[in-house]
Amino acid sequence: MTNIARLPGALDHRWDWQRHGACRSADSGLFFHPVGERGEAHDSRESAAKEVCAGCPVRRECLRYALEAHERYGVWGGLGEGDRLRLRRQARKVRR
């Protein structure tokens, strides 16, 4: 579950980046896998989502949000669930 205590609160200037996301015109189902999706179907959907992110003007802000909020599901800022998990693990190793 997302930890909302880490979020900045209802400050418009902190959330304004979302209005500029390339994903706003895409089906949200592209960014979140359905229950039981595996293998080629998962990889294909995730790749398509990452393509949308690749040209997004707020990709960096989106990824920062996902990492700060510990988003567990979906593609955020061009990184899937496994990508973000690996990034967090690498960051923990560096801090040690």
Side-chain angles (χ1 to χ4, degrees), residues 5-82:
R6 299 175 188 272
L7 302 180
L11 303 171
D12 288 348
H13 69 281
R14 296 292 302 265
W15 298 101
D16 192 51
W17 62 267
Q18 292 180 354
R19 295 184 319 115
H20 306 287
C23 58
R24 289 185 55 94
S25 62
D27 177 6
S28 62
L30 184 62
F31 299 90
F32 297 93
H33 66 81
V35 175
E37 181 186 66
R38 303 260 189 278
E40 189 176 326
H42 175 273
D43 296 345
S44 179
R45 182 202 44 77
E46 188 171 274
S47 290
K50 289 178 177 182
E51 284 181 33
V52 173
C53 295
C56 184
V58 293
R59 181 178 177 181
R60 181 173 286 166
E61 292 87 342
C62 182
L63 180 56
R64 182 179 306 125
Y65 156 78
L67 293 172
E68 287 175 0
H70 292 248
E71 284 287 352
R72 293 181 57 194
Y73 303 105
V75 174
W76 294 85
L79 296 184
E81 300 158 3

